[in-house]
């Protein structure tokens, strides 16, 4: 399965007092990359939300290996894998462009909650695994 | 070992378009609770940073079980455990006060980097395990 | 007209690389205080949003006088004033508790947009000025 | 004086429960654009901070005219103007690309604080007005 990539640059408001990107900001980077990936696959998170389908994260496992700093450019990678009948996973990495070092790597597991709050894998997500 | 607790309330800017607290915000809650815990133990994160000692997160494993919404009050729990010679862990939970449900539970693993970037457990952290 | 107050404490993730609270974070503090003020007056921002009434900010004028740092406790003040037929204003101040210094002071002007996007002052807001 | 521009795209975590970009996020966009502008002029905010020179915002006046939503692309503009002996101003606009509408427009006034906390316009900033 192919790996989806977006390229971003650190914004200084994402740095903390240590002068490095705050841990919470990586979560934002990863989420943004997932939504861009889904959009490329014609899955519009905002449109799903309005339709009452909530894609939600149920678990995340992240390893922080290197820190991004002011001015750093980086890539966020996304690839999907099936976890169970109602769970799907996103393998994700944040890679600094200057030296190709992996800064963050991990797995984010999600499900889709329908209007009654029941977890499932919606057909649009199901189709991701058929590729 | 005792469990440290702080009580917080959801702020509306932490909500996303789904009307629930954004996943990244829990990371902020957990960090804030860790720093408050450390402060209670006379470990001042900001003072350490200025002294060139960087406490950093190297891994996080979080389960998202329930969503917080506008107006929700919640408790963030912290307890520490030793992971290895140079790593320490924070067991953390976010508990909604209205129904005592666990919203987020997980383990955040950290280390201390000295001025040369070497990982270690500084004496101040070491003392946490002697209690 | 009385002044509404909430007390908060700086969270370290709100600091930037200068070791002071990032300018954007004050905006969050001010918004949270406005929503808490409205809630005390039985105006629930989240409930209004669900009903299709959007309270929106249309102008802000803020003076940044002092910086908050790690560990600082502060008060956020809110008082309302009528600006025009369809605009209302919030006078707001952020005051550091250790020395009573004003850190941020300003005026945030808003309106309510109904389901058709028309600006107005809804009766609930109108009632704030009758006190 | 020429106008500096960066192009960005809304990230879904910047949306609030109204499904529009939260007011605080515009502040982040504006700051990022100012830092990118300065960097193009060889003024590195992070390097200045490490050297003990703090560029700080002392006043902001912002008009919010239109809201950005999920998926919107936009431009952030920056141009500088001298305000007084020790103050400089950034005229800024956020413009949605789909319809060229101005979403936010305003003036952000800053100064430079030296190691003793004294306000001034440092030579690097002074040079911006000589162009």
């Amino acid at each position: 399965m192919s790996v989806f990539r977006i390229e971003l640059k650190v914004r200084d408001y994402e740095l903390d007092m240590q002068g490095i990107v705050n841990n919470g900001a990586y979560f934002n980077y990863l989420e943004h990359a997932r939504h861009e990936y889904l959009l490329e696959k014609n899955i519009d998170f905002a449109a799903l939300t309005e339709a009452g389908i909530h894609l939600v994260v149920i678990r995340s496992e992240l390893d922080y290996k290197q820190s991004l700093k002011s001015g750093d450019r980086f890539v966020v990678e996304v690839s999907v894998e099936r976890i169970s009948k109602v769970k799907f996973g996103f393998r994700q990495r944040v890679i600094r462009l200057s030296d190709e070092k992996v800064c963050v790597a991990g797995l984010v597991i999600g499900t889709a909650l329908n209007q009654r709050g029941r977890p499932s894998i919606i057909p649009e997500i199901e189709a991701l695994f058929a590729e």
Side-chain angles (χ1 to χ4, degrees), chain A:
Chain A
M1 200 165 287
S2 67
V3 175
F4 174 82
R5 283 183 185 81
I6 59 168
E7 188 183 325
L8 300 174
K9 188 184 177 186
V10 170
R11 301 176 182 177
D12 285 345
Y13 64 80
E14 296 164 339
L15 302 179
D16 62 19
M17 67 174 123
Q18 295 180 331
I20 56 178
V21 168
N22 187 264
N23 292 103
Y26 292 104
F27 223 95
N28 293 339
Y29 297 160
L30 297 175
E31 179 194 294
H32 181 52
R34 292 195 303 275
H35 287 209
E36 290 293 288
Y37 162 77
L38 291 172
L39 210 54
E40 204 212 35
K41 301 295 184 186
N42 291 312
I43 302 176
D44 183 333
F45 185 90
L48 280 177
T49 298
E50 259 187 78
I53 309 287
H54 291 266
L55 298 184
V56 295
V57 170
I58 52 181
R59 180 173 170 82
S60 66
E61 299 168 12
L62 301 177
D63 289 298
Y64 300 87
K65 295 159 183 285
Q66 298 283 332
S67 297
L68 290 171
K69 297 194 172 175
S70 182
D72 280 344
R73 290 181 183 282
F74 57 98
V75 156
V76 189
E77 292 183 347
V78 185
S79 62
V80 290
E81 61 187 61
R82 179 149 211 147
I83 303 291
S84 78
K85 197 157 171 292
V86 297
K87 297 177 190 173
F88 45 92
F90 297 93
R91 286 267 162 216
Q92 297 203 255
R93 298 199 301 172
V94 173
I95 300 168
R96 188 165 51 203
L97 284 176
S98 62
D99 60 3
E100 304 271 302
K101 287 227 171 136
V102 174
C103 296
V104 175
L107 176 65
V108 177
I109 299 173
T111 191
L113 301 177
N114 64 17
Q115 289 89 336
R116 281 160 300 151
R118 274 288 196 74
S120 68
I121 292 188
I122 55 175
E124 295 90 329
I125 298 284
E126 196 72 56
L128 299 175
F129 304 105
E131 288 180 12

